[in-house]
């Protein structure tokens, strides 16, 4: 059962690279990171938990910064 959670996290994270919009890619990566955190907690692997909390935080932080979000930049230029 736990192994399937790890494989699900892998599939979600890899699938994020097929997202055309950067904001969607980041959201999917955040979901994948949270699944990895759950997996890391279940197997008691603190490096997995820490690394994916950092991934989640970085994705969330860059989504909140319009100057780092290509879609927001495009909308400002066209708007």
């Amino acid at each position: 059962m736990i192994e399937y959670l790890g494989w699900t996290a892998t599939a979600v994270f890899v699938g994020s690279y097929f997202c055309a919009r950067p904001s969607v890619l980041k959201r999917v990566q955040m979901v994948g990171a949270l699944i990895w955190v759950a997996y890391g907690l279940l197997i008691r692997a603190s490096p997995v938990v820490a690394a994916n909390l950092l991934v989640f935080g970085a994705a969330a932080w860059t989504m909140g910064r319009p100057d780092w979000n290509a879609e927001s930049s495009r909308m400002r230029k066209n708007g």
Side-chain angles (χ1 to χ4, degrees):
M1 171 64 181
I2 294 173
E3 186 175 316
Y4 290 121
L5 190 59
W7 285 114
T8 300
T10 299
V12 170
F13 198 77
V14 170
S16 73
Y17 289 101
F18 294 98
C19 298
R21 295 172 47 198
S23 63
V24 175
L25 177 137
K26 290 175 187 177
R27 284 186 186 108
V28 174
Q29 285 183 337
M30 289 169 69
V31 169
L34 289 177
I35 298 170
W36 274 118
V37 167
Y39 176 75
L41 290 170
L42 288 170
I43 66 167
R44 296 187 172 135
S46 56
V48 173
V49 173
N52 284 285
L53 286 174
L54 290 171
V55 168
F56 181 86
W61 185 61
T62 58
M63 281 185 66
R65 293 190 44 133
D67 56 328
W68 283 34
N69 188 332
E71 292 174 351
S72 294
S73 296
R74 239 182 298 138
M75 287 191 319
R76 279 185 286 176
K77 288 177 186 176
N78 295 331

